[in-house]
Amino acid sequence: MSHILVTGANGFVGRALSRTLVENGHAVTGLVRHAGACASGVQEWVDDSKDFEGLRRAWPHTLQPDCVVHLAARVHMLHDVAADPDASFRATNVEGALRIAEAAHLNGARRMVFVSSIKAVAEIDVGRPLREDDSPLPQDAYGRSKLEAERALIRYGNETGLDVVIVRPPLVYGPEVRANFLRLLDAVWKGVPLPIAAVRAKRSIVYVDNLADALMRCATDPRATRQCFHVADSVDWTVAELARMLARHLQKPVRLLPVPVSLMRTAGRLTHRSSQIDRLIGSLQVDTGRIATVLGWQPPYSTDDGLAETARWYRSIH
């Protein structure tokens, strides 16, 4: 079994990945900024330095992982208050990722799995599911930083021999989810009318335990060498379909209004929220054929399984 270092191991995806790794017999060290909240069986390493500055000097001499899975990042924010968002995202997501790669490589790691984002490629698809070799056109500072990090890490890997594997998930959901998916849960739970019945565009999403399973394969399977993979659930859904499934699992009625898409676009322009509306009504599907072909990977859980677990968690806190 492998020894895997997980950065951000006490975060939403990090805890799910750590549990999956431990359950499958792997040794896990979690690199975190604050102690606590890691999954059972994880050896914590606390380093609160800014953007991993000084990580090489702080690296424990006994820590020699086979692979590092880099999850820690400055995440996408709807209303970023940074004076220079691109610089802030670059400092953490590009320069910080390179410091992780350098320190891990110097201490014996042979592979780095970098968890990027589909936002490194696009916000909406091109009339078909997005493939790994599509020309990237990120639309915000977060997406640009993820794409820049991918390219910087690949260059570093080519120069040093570190095997860099890129994984690009779309929206991740599951118990303890935050941001937009939590807002959808709140709306369904409270019976808020949602103007999405007429939206036919489909979105790829990924259940956190499906992503964790794929990341474990990318960290341990020799066939993943120097690959880039898109990872998602096996079926894509409209937002209205997701709301209906959530309502069923929450045991709540769902109120969906058939507002014309053209009217939603107009409302977006009038309220200066066009980008948010475009993401809501636009299709964002990803092609997962490469990971299926190269690694033989299929999601172990259906979207309905994932939504049921998410709803069970949500009910438990309300």
Side-chain angles (χ1 to χ4, degrees), residues 129 133 202:
D133 56 358
K202 294 190 174 184

Side-chain angles (χ1 to χ4, degrees), residues 263-292:
L263 184 58
M264 294 176 68
R265 285 200 176 97
T266 300
R269 288 194 295 272
L270 293 174
T271 59
H272 306 289
R273 299 180 63 192
S274 290
S275 60
Q276 293 97 309
I277 295 298
D278 288 344
R279 284 194 291 270
L280 176 64
I281 64 179
S283 173
L284 182 57
Q285 296 179 268
V286 304
D287 186 332
T288 58
R290 179 179 289 179
I291 192 169

Side-chain angles (χ1 to χ4, degrees), residues 181-218:
F181 206 90
L182 180 58
R183 285 190 277 273
L184 178 60
L185 280 162
D186 288 338
V188 174
W189 181 260
K190 296 173 183 176
V192 176
L194 299 170
I196 56 175
V199 177
R200 297 287 178 256
K202 294 190 174 184
R203 313 284 292 190
S204 293
I205 58 177
V206 61
Y207 177 42
V208 67
D209 283 2
N210 284 338
L211 177 57
D213 188 79
L215 291 175
M216 178 179 67
R217 291 287 299 275
C218 289

Side-chain angles (χ1 to χ4, degrees), residues 1-5 26-27 64-68 104 107-112 162 219:
M1 293 292 107
S2 299
H3 183 180
I4 299 173
L5 174 68
H26 300 288
Q64 296 182 318
D66 299 296
C67 174
V68 56
N107 286 276
R110 297 184 296 275
R111 175 175 291 181
M112 178 176 184
L162 179 66

Side-chain angles (χ1 to χ4, degrees), residues 69-302:
V69 180
H70 185 44
L71 287 163
R74 188 171 193 264
V75 298
H76 171 72
M77 290 175 282
L78 188 60
H79 302 291
D80 198 330
V81 297
D84 186 347
D86 279 280
S88 297
F89 277 108
R90 186 179 301 111
T92 300
N93 295 352
V94 182
E95 295 166 17
L98 279 171
R99 292 186 185 110
I100 291 286
E102 291 166 356
H105 176 62
L106 288 173
N107 286 276
R110 297 184 296 275
R111 175 175 291 181
M112 178 176 184
V113 178
F114 177 63
V115 183
S116 183
S117 168
I118 199 62
K119 285 177 172 288
V121 183
E123 293 285 352
I124 58 175
D125 62 39
V126 291
R128 57 163 174 75
L130 293 169
R131 297 191 293 259
E132 290 84 352
D133 56 358
D134 282 327
S135 297
L137 190 63
Q139 297 296 304
D140 61 14
Y142 171 74
R144 288 190 290 272
S145 73
K146 284 294 192 178
L147 178 61
E148 187 177 343
E150 288 183 15
R151 290 171 170 172
L153 290 169
I154 289 170
R155 285 195 300 271
Y156 179 79
N158 290 338
E159 293 166 359
T160 64
L162 179 66
D163 176 12
V164 175
V165 181
I166 306 294
V167 177
R168 295 178 182 148
L171 184 148
V172 185
Y173 69 98
E176 303 180 28
V177 69
R178 294 292 182 263
N180 288 339
F181 206 90
L182 180 58
R183 285 190 277 273
L184 178 60
L185 280 162
D186 288 338
V188 174
W189 181 260
K190 296 173 183 176
V192 176
L194 299 170
I196 56 175
V199 177
R200 297 287 178 256
K202 294 190 174 184
R203 313 284 292 190
S204 293
I205 58 177
V206 61
Y207 177 42
V208 67
D209 283 2
N210 284 338
L211 177 57
D213 188 79
L215 291 175
M216 178 179 67
R217 291 287 299 275
C218 289
T220 59
D221 194 322
R223 295 173 295 178
T225 296
R226 301 187 185 280
Q227 291 283 347
C228 176
F229 296 120
H230 290 174
V231 175
D233 288 354
S234 56
V235 178
D236 299 331
W237 308 90
T238 67
V239 181
E241 289 170 334
L242 290 171
R244 291 188 185 99
M245 287 190 285
L246 281 172
R248 174 165 51 84
H249 290 300
L250 291 170
Q251 300 174 6
K252 295 282 186 177
V254 64
R255 302 175 65 188
L256 304 181
L257 306 180
V259 177
V261 169
S262 59
L263 184 58
M264 294 176 68
R265 285 200 176 97
T266 300
R269 288 194 295 272
L270 293 174
T271 59
H272 306 289
R273 299 180 63 192
S274 290
S275 60
Q276 293 97 309
I277 295 298
D278 288 344
R279 284 194 291 270
L280 176 64
I281 64 179
S283 173
L284 182 57
Q285 296 179 268
V286 304
D287 186 332
T288 58
R290 179 179 289 179
I291 192 169
T293 299
V294 175
L295 302 186
W297 183 83
Q298 295 292 334
Y301 304 98
S302 70

